[in-house]
Amino acid sequence: QVQLVESGGGLVQPGGSLRLTCAASGSFLWINDMGWYRQAPGKQRALVGIIARGRDAYYADSVKGRFTISRDNAENTMYLQMNSLEAEDTAVYYCNAKPRFLGGEGEAWGQGTQVTVSS
């Protein structure tokens, strides 16, 4: 089992910055890919970016150059640094992780954290 807890969401003005954190805990060997997704009102959940265990990262075009994903494997924690925020970034942000167990790989989601970009 694995639990993911996001934190760091809130209200920020356009052009501002926020840093989200995703902390994983539970009984797993290690975590492979981790990722951030977001869901805006009335829209489907969409990928923000993914970071591999080796720290190679992939980003959606809409956030490339503004958002940075990083992770601390020793602490089983992932971060999302969001800069130059725009109103279109308003959404609930979800953490996703693929933990490795003895029997194979699993998948877990966090509960989500709200990010609102507004003046």
Side-chain angles (χ1 to χ4, degrees):
Q1 297 292 335
V2 59
Q3 295 78 42
L4 303 179
V5 178
E6 301 107 331
S7 60
L11 174 65
V12 62
Q13 292 187 342
S17 297
L18 276 177
R19 188 193 197 206
L20 305 184
T21 299
C22 172
S25 61
S27 301
F28 49 84
L29 298 175
W30 61 81
I31 299 178
N32 289 327
D33 289 353
M34 300 185 77
W36 289 99
Y37 292 74
R38 65 186 182 184
Q39 187 166 17
K43 295 187 177 181
Q44 290 188 330
R45 191 173 297 188
L47 175 69
V48 174
I50 294 175
I51 185 166
R53 182 169 176 79
R55 299 185 177 85
D56 288 337
Y58 165 84
Y59 299 94
D61 287 343
S62 58
V63 306
K64 203 172 293 184
R66 299 187 298 122
F67 291 10
T68 302
I69 299 176
S70 59
R71 63 187 288 176
D72 182 334
N73 290 331
E75 297 294 328
N76 295 313
T77 302
M78 175 179 61
Y79 306 96
L80 178 63
Q81 179 65 44
M82 304 184 291
N83 299 328
S84 303
L85 283 161
E86 305 167 353
E88 292 72 23
D89 296 316
T90 295
V92 177
Y93 283 71
Y94 295 91
C95 170
N96 175 271
K98 293 182 168 56
R100 175 70 185 184
F101 303 99
L102 284 174
E105 185 179 83
E107 184 174 27
W109 290 91
Q111 82 287 352
T113 185
Q114 177 70 46
V115 171
T116 302
V117 184
S118 175
S119 55

